[in-house]
PDB file of all heavy atoms in Angstrom:
ATOM      1  N   LYS B 229      34.089  84.690 -84.818  1.00  0.00           N
ATOM      2  CA  LYS B 229      35.113  83.744 -85.274  1.00  0.00           C
ATOM      3  C   LYS B 229      36.020  84.473 -86.258  1.00  0.00           C
ATOM      4  O   LYS B 229      35.559  85.076 -87.219  1.00  0.00           O
ATOM      5  CB  LYS B 229      34.472  82.543 -85.955  1.00  0.00           C
ATOM      6  CG  LYS B 229      33.860  81.573 -84.951  1.00  0.00           C
ATOM      7  CD  LYS B 229      33.512  80.255 -85.613  1.00  0.00           C
ATOM      8  CE  LYS B 229      33.146  79.200 -84.584  1.00  0.00           C
ATOM      9  NZ  LYS B 229      31.974  79.585 -83.751  1.00  0.00           N
ATOM     10  N   LEU B 230      37.327  84.419 -86.008  1.00  0.00           N
ATOM     11  CA  LEU B 230      38.266  85.183 -86.839  1.00  0.00           C
ATOM     12  C   LEU B 230      38.405  84.565 -88.228  1.00  0.00           C
ATOM     13  O   LEU B 230      38.604  85.278 -89.201  1.00  0.00           O
ATOM     14  CB  LEU B 230      39.629  85.265 -86.145  1.00  0.00           C
ATOM     15  CG  LEU B 230      40.708  86.056 -86.865  1.00  0.00           C
ATOM     16  CD1 LEU B 230      40.262  87.493 -87.115  1.00  0.00           C
ATOM     17  CD2 LEU B 230      42.006  86.056 -86.076  1.00  0.00           C
ATOM     18  N   LEU B 231      38.319  83.247 -88.313  1.00  0.00           N
ATOM     19  CA  LEU B 231      38.549  82.583 -89.599  1.00  0.00           C
ATOM     20  C   LEU B 231      37.292  81.861 -90.070  1.00  0.00           C
ATOM     21  O   LEU B 231      36.455  81.464 -89.256  1.00  0.00           O
ATOM     22  CB  LEU B 231      39.675  81.554 -89.471  1.00  0.00           C
ATOM     23  CG  LEU B 231      41.041  82.089 -89.063  1.00  0.00           C
ATOM     24  CD1 LEU B 231      42.002  80.926 -88.858  1.00  0.00           C
ATOM     25  CD2 LEU B 231      41.583  83.035 -90.109  1.00  0.00           C
ATOM     26  N   ASN B 232      37.187  81.681 -91.397  1.00  0.00           N
ATOM     27  CA  ASN B 232      36.043  80.930 -91.916  1.00  0.00           C
ATOM     28  C   ASN B 232      36.127  79.466 -91.515  1.00  0.00           C
ATOM     29  O   ASN B 232      35.132  78.790 -91.338  1.00  0.00           O
ATOM     30  CB  ASN B 232      35.925  81.091 -93.428  1.00  0.00           C
ATOM     31  CG  ASN B 232      37.165  80.607 -94.166  1.00  0.00           C
ATOM     32  OD1 ASN B 232      38.212  80.408 -93.561  1.00  0.00           O
ATOM     33  ND2 ASN B 232      37.051  80.407 -95.459  1.00  0.00           N
ATOM     34  N   LYS B 233      37.340  78.938 -91.375  1.00  0.00           N
ATOM     35  CA  LYS B 233      37.518  77.624 -90.758  1.00  0.00           C
ATOM     36  C   LYS B 233      38.903  77.589 -90.129  1.00  0.00           C
ATOM     37  O   LYS B 233      39.809  78.298 -90.565  1.00  0.00           O
ATOM     38  CB  LYS B 233      37.349  76.508 -91.800  1.00  0.00           C
ATOM     39  CG  LYS B 233      38.373  76.562 -92.929  1.00  0.00           C
ATOM     40  CD  LYS B 233      38.242  75.356 -93.821  1.00  0.00           C
ATOM     41  CE  LYS B 233      39.464  75.231 -94.671  1.00  0.00           C
ATOM     42  NZ  LYS B 233      39.573  75.106 -95.984  1.00  0.00           N
ATOM     43  N   ASN B 234      39.045  76.770 -89.101  1.00  0.00           N
ATOM     44  CA  ASN B 234      40.326  76.711 -88.400  1.00  0.00           C
ATOM     45  C   ASN B 234      40.605  75.258 -88.023  1.00  0.00           C
ATOM     46  O   ASN B 234      39.729  74.595 -87.490  1.00  0.00           O
ATOM     47  CB  ASN B 234      40.271  77.587 -87.136  1.00  0.00           C
ATOM     48  CG  ASN B 234      41.643  77.855 -86.576  1.00  0.00           C
ATOM     49  OD1 ASN B 234      42.625  77.860 -87.306  1.00  0.00           O
ATOM     50  ND2 ASN B 234      41.708  78.063 -85.282  1.00  0.00           N
ATOM     51  N   PRO B 235      41.775  74.729 -88.237  1.00  0.00           N
ATOM     52  CA  PRO B 235      42.925  75.390 -88.855  1.00  0.00           C
ATOM     53  C   PRO B 235      42.815  75.538 -90.370  1.00  0.00           C
ATOM     54  O   PRO B 235      41.934  74.983 -90.964  1.00  0.00           O
ATOM     55  CB  PRO B 235      44.075  74.456 -88.498  1.00  0.00           C
ATOM     56  CG  PRO B 235      43.454  73.131 -88.263  1.00  0.00           C
ATOM     57  CD  PRO B 235      42.077  73.383 -87.772  1.00  0.00           C
ATOM     58  N   TRP B 236      43.755  76.264 -90.912  1.00  0.00           N
ATOM     59  CA  TRP B 236      43.908  76.502 -92.341  1.00  0.00           C
ATOM     60  C   TRP B 236      42.724  77.221 -92.947  1.00  0.00           C
ATOM     61  O   TRP B 236      42.182  76.820 -93.968  1.00  0.00           O
ATOM     62  CB  TRP B 236      44.222  75.183 -93.080  1.00  0.00           C
ATOM     63  CG  TRP B 236      45.412  74.520 -92.494  1.00  0.00           C
ATOM     64  CD1 TRP B 236      45.420  73.422 -91.693  1.00  0.00           C
ATOM     65  CD2 TRP B 236      46.774  74.934 -92.611  1.00  0.00           C
ATOM     66  NE1 TRP B 236      46.692  73.116 -91.298  1.00  0.00           N
ATOM     67  CE2 TRP B 236      47.551  74.032 -91.855  1.00  0.00           C
ATOM     68  CE3 TRP B 236      47.421  75.983 -93.276  1.00  0.00           C
ATOM     69  CZ2 TRP B 236      48.931  74.149 -91.725  1.00  0.00           C
ATOM     70  CZ3 TRP B 236      48.797  76.095 -93.167  1.00  0.00           C
ATOM     71  CH2 TRP B 236      49.531  75.189 -92.388  1.00  0.00           C
ATOM     72  N   GLY B 237      42.319  78.286 -92.299  1.00  0.00           N
ATOM     73  CA  GLY B 237      41.273  79.127 -92.862  1.00  0.00           C
ATOM     74  C   GLY B 237      41.768  79.840 -94.110  1.00  0.00           C
ATOM     75  O   GLY B 237      42.970  79.996 -94.335  1.00  0.00           O
ATOM     76  N   THR B 238      40.795  80.262 -94.935  1.00  0.00           N
ATOM     77  CA  THR B 238      41.167  80.961 -96.163  1.00  0.00           C
ATOM     78  C   THR B 238      40.606  82.380 -96.166  1.00  0.00           C
ATOM     79  O   THR B 238      40.775  83.112 -97.120  1.00  0.00           O
ATOM     80  CB  THR B 238      40.617  80.217 -97.390  1.00  0.00           C
ATOM     81  OG1 THR B 238      39.224  79.956 -97.166  1.00  0.00           O
ATOM     82  CG2 THR B 238      41.344  78.896 -97.595  1.00  0.00           C
ATOM     83  N   GLN B 239      39.918  82.745 -95.099  1.00  0.00           N
ATOM     84  CA  GLN B 239      39.267  84.054 -95.068  1.00  0.00           C
ATOM     85  C   GLN B 239      39.284  84.590 -93.638  1.00  0.00           C
ATOM     86  O   GLN B 239      38.831  83.902 -92.722  1.00  0.00           O
ATOM     87  CB  GLN B 239      37.813  83.866 -95.531  1.00  0.00           C
ATOM     88  CG  GLN B 239      37.103  85.137 -95.861  1.00  0.00           C
ATOM     89  CD  GLN B 239      37.310  85.517 -97.320  1.00  0.00           C
ATOM     90  OE1 GLN B 239      37.359  84.650 -98.175  1.00  0.00           O
ATOM     91  NE2 GLN B 239      37.462  86.801 -97.592  1.00  0.00           N
ATOM     92  N   TYR B 240      39.818  85.793 -93.462  1.00  0.00           N
ATOM     93  CA  TYR B 240      39.789  86.427 -92.146  1.00  0.00           C
ATOM     94  C   TYR B 240      38.540  87.295 -92.013  1.00  0.00           C
ATOM     95  O   TYR B 240      38.021  87.793 -93.014  1.00  0.00           O
ATOM     96  CB  TYR B 240      41.024  87.306 -91.953  1.00  0.00           C
ATOM     97  CG  TYR B 240      42.251  86.568 -91.475  1.00  0.00           C
ATOM     98  CD1 TYR B 240      43.050  85.863 -92.363  1.00  0.00           C
ATOM     99  CD2 TYR B 240      42.606  86.591 -90.135  1.00  0.00           C
ATOM    100  CE1 TYR B 240      44.183  85.189 -91.925  1.00  0.00           C
ATOM    101  CE2 TYR B 240      43.739  85.923 -89.691  1.00  0.00           C
ATOM    102  CZ  TYR B 240      44.525  85.227 -90.584  1.00  0.00           C
ATOM    103  OH  TYR B 240      45.647  84.572 -90.142  1.00  0.00           O
ATOM    104  N   ASN B 241      38.073  87.478 -90.782  1.00  0.00           N
ATOM    105  CA  ASN B 241      36.848  88.261 -90.553  1.00  0.00           C
ATOM    106  C   ASN B 241      37.097  89.487 -89.671  1.00  0.00           C
ATOM    107  O   ASN B 241      36.308  89.777 -88.781  1.00  0.00           O
ATOM    108  CB  ASN B 241      35.780  87.387 -89.891  1.00  0.00           C
ATOM    109  CG  ASN B 241      35.383  86.228 -90.778  1.00  0.00           C
ATOM    110  OD1 ASN B 241      35.300  86.375 -92.002  1.00  0.00           O
ATOM    111  ND2 ASN B 241      35.154  85.075 -90.175  1.00  0.00           N
ATOM    112  N   TYR B 242      38.185  90.189 -89.913  1.00  0.00           N
ATOM    113  CA  TYR B 242      38.430  91.390 -89.106  1.00  0.00           C
ATOM    114  C   TYR B 242      37.385  92.474 -89.374  1.00  0.00           C
ATOM    115  O   TYR B 242      37.319  93.461 -88.649  1.00  0.00           O
ATOM    116  CB  TYR B 242      39.821  91.958 -89.404  1.00  0.00           C
ATOM    117  CG  TYR B 242      40.958  91.206 -88.758  1.00  0.00           C
ATOM    118  CD1 TYR B 242      41.897  90.537 -89.530  1.00  0.00           C
ATOM    119  CD2 TYR B 242      41.106  91.185 -87.369  1.00  0.00           C
ATOM    120  CE1 TYR B 242      42.955  89.849 -88.944  1.00  0.00           C
ATOM    121  CE2 TYR B 242      42.155  90.503 -86.779  1.00  0.00           C
ATOM    122  CZ  TYR B 242      43.080  89.842 -87.568  1.00  0.00           C
ATOM    123  OH  TYR B 242      44.120  89.174 -86.982  1.00  0.00           O
ATOM    124  N   ASP B 243      36.577  92.307 -90.442  1.00  0.00           N
ATOM    125  CA  ASP B 243      35.571  93.328 -90.742  1.00  0.00           C
ATOM    126  C   ASP B 243      34.255  93.055 -90.021  1.00  0.00           C
ATOM    127  O   ASP B 243      33.299  93.805 -90.175  1.00  0.00           O
ATOM    128  CB  ASP B 243      35.352  93.429 -92.262  1.00  0.00           C
ATOM    129  CG  ASP B 243      34.955  92.087 -92.863  1.00  0.00           C
ATOM    130  OD1 ASP B 243      35.039  91.057 -92.145  1.00  0.00           O
ATOM    131  OD2 ASP B 243      34.566  92.057 -94.043  1.00  0.00           O
ATOM    132  N   ASP B 244      34.212  91.993 -89.235  1.00  0.00           N
ATOM    133  CA  ASP B 244      33.000  91.653 -88.481  1.00  0.00           C
ATOM    134  C   ASP B 244      32.721  92.736 -87.432  1.00  0.00           C
ATOM    135  O   ASP B 244      33.623  93.161 -86.721  1.00  0.00           O
ATOM    136  CB  ASP B 244      33.236  90.298 -87.803  1.00  0.00           C
ATOM    137  CG  ASP B 244      31.981  89.736 -87.169  1.00  0.00           C
ATOM    138  OD1 ASP B 244      31.380  90.420 -86.313  1.00  0.00           O
ATOM    139  OD2 ASP B 244      31.623  88.607 -87.530  1.00  0.00           O
ATOM    140  N   PRO B 245      31.459  93.189 -87.345  1.00  0.00           N
ATOM    141  CA  PRO B 245      31.151  94.256 -86.370  1.00  0.00           C
ATOM    142  C   PRO B 245      31.473  93.849 -84.935  1.00  0.00           C
ATOM    143  O   PRO B 245      31.787  94.702 -84.103  1.00  0.00           O
ATOM    144  CB  PRO B 245      29.654  94.496 -86.550  1.00  0.00           C
ATOM    145  CG  PRO B 245      29.148  93.401 -87.416  1.00  0.00           C
ATOM    146  CD  PRO B 245      30.298  92.857 -88.184  1.00  0.00           C
ATOM    147  N   ARG B 246      31.406  92.538 -84.637  1.00  0.00           N
ATOM    148  CA  ARG B 246      31.678  92.118 -83.260  1.00  0.00           C
ATOM    149  C   ARG B 246      33.144  92.350 -82.887  1.00  0.00           C
ATOM    150  O   ARG B 246      33.473  92.693 -81.763  1.00  0.00           O
ATOM    151  CB  ARG B 246      31.305  90.648 -83.072  1.00  0.00           C
ATOM    152  CG  ARG B 246      29.809  90.441 -83.002  1.00  0.00           C
ATOM    153  CD  ARG B 246      29.437  88.992 -83.138  1.00  0.00           C
ATOM    154  NE  ARG B 246      29.734  88.484 -84.478  1.00  0.00           N
ATOM    155  CZ  ARG B 246      29.349  87.287 -84.921  1.00  0.00           C
ATOM    156  NH1 ARG B 246      28.657  86.480 -84.147  1.00  0.00           N
ATOM    157  NH2 ARG B 246      29.651  86.900 -86.139  1.00  0.00           N
ATOM    158  N   PHE B 247      34.022  92.170 -83.873  1.00  0.00           N
ATOM    159  CA  PHE B 247      35.427  92.476 -83.617  1.00  0.00           C
ATOM    160  C   PHE B 247      35.603  93.976 -83.402  1.00  0.00           C
ATOM    161  O   PHE B 247      36.293  94.415 -82.472  1.00  0.00           O
ATOM    162  CB  PHE B 247      36.303  92.006 -84.775  1.00  0.00           C
ATOM    163  CG  PHE B 247      37.734  92.442 -84.640  1.00  0.00           C
ATOM    164  CD1 PHE B 247      38.582  91.813 -83.737  1.00  0.00           C
ATOM    165  CD2 PHE B 247      38.238  93.510 -85.376  1.00  0.00           C
ATOM    166  CE1 PHE B 247      39.888  92.233 -83.581  1.00  0.00           C
ATOM    167  CE2 PHE B 247      39.548  93.934 -85.223  1.00  0.00           C
ATOM    168  CZ  PHE B 247      40.371  93.293 -84.326  1.00  0.00           C
ATOM    169  N   ALA B 248      34.947  94.756 -84.253  1.00  0.00           N
ATOM    170  CA  ALA B 248      35.054  96.219 -84.146  1.00  0.00           C
ATOM    171  C   ALA B 248      34.568  96.697 -82.783  1.00  0.00           C
ATOM    172  O   ALA B 248      35.217  97.514 -82.121  1.00  0.00           O
ATOM    173  CB  ALA B 248      34.261  96.877 -85.265  1.00  0.00           C
ATOM    174  N   GLN B 249      33.433  96.135 -82.325  1.00  0.00           N
ATOM    175  CA  GLN B 249      32.886  96.549 -81.027  1.00  0.00           C
ATOM    176  C   GLN B 249      33.863  96.210 -79.895  1.00  0.00           C
ATOM    177  O   GLN B 249      34.126  97.027 -79.011  1.00  0.00           O
ATOM    178  CB  GLN B 249      31.554  95.843 -80.765  1.00  0.00           C
ATOM    179  CG  GLN B 249      30.409  96.324 -81.626  1.00  0.00           C
ATOM    180  CD  GLN B 249      29.269  95.308 -81.660  1.00  0.00           C
ATOM    181  OE1 GLN B 249      29.285  94.310 -80.951  1.00  0.00           O
ATOM    182  NE2 GLN B 249      28.288  95.570 -82.503  1.00  0.00           N
ATOM    183  N   THR B 250      34.387  94.976 -79.957  1.00  0.00           N
ATOM    184  CA  THR B 250      35.294  94.544 -78.894  1.00  0.00           C
ATOM    185  C   THR B 250      36.518  95.440 -78.826  1.00  0.00           C
ATOM    186  O   THR B 250      36.922  95.910 -77.760  1.00  0.00           O
ATOM    187  CB  THR B 250      35.746  93.090 -79.134  1.00  0.00           C
ATOM    188  OG1 THR B 250      34.598  92.281 -79.322  1.00  0.00           O
ATOM    189  CG2 THR B 250      36.560  92.572 -77.966  1.00  0.00           C
ATOM    190  N   PHE B 251      37.109  95.670 -79.976  1.00  0.00           N
ATOM    191  CA  PHE B 251      38.359  96.411 -79.973  1.00  0.00           C
ATOM    192  C   PHE B 251      38.134  97.886 -79.672  1.00  0.00           C
ATOM    193  O   PHE B 251      38.996  98.540 -79.096  1.00  0.00           O
ATOM    194  CB  PHE B 251      39.085  96.220 -81.308  1.00  0.00           C
ATOM    195  CG  PHE B 251      40.567  96.228 -81.148  1.00  0.00           C
ATOM    196  CD1 PHE B 251      41.207  95.197 -80.482  1.00  0.00           C
ATOM    197  CD2 PHE B 251      41.335  97.281 -81.625  1.00  0.00           C
ATOM    198  CE1 PHE B 251      42.570  95.209 -80.302  1.00  0.00           C
ATOM    199  CE2 PHE B 251      42.700  97.294 -81.444  1.00  0.00           C
ATOM    200  CZ  PHE B 251      43.322  96.256 -80.780  1.00  0.00           C
TER     201      PHE B 251
END
Side-chain angles (χ1 to χ4, degrees):
Chain B
K229 284 193 169 60
L230 181 58
L231 299 175
N232 59 345
K233 62 174 196 232
N234 195 28
W236 305 105
T238 50
Q239 194 89 36
Y240 276 81
N241 298 323
Y242 283 115
D243 56 350
D244 189 303
R246 286 167 293 189
F247 173 75
Q249 289 161 7
T250 308
F251 213 68

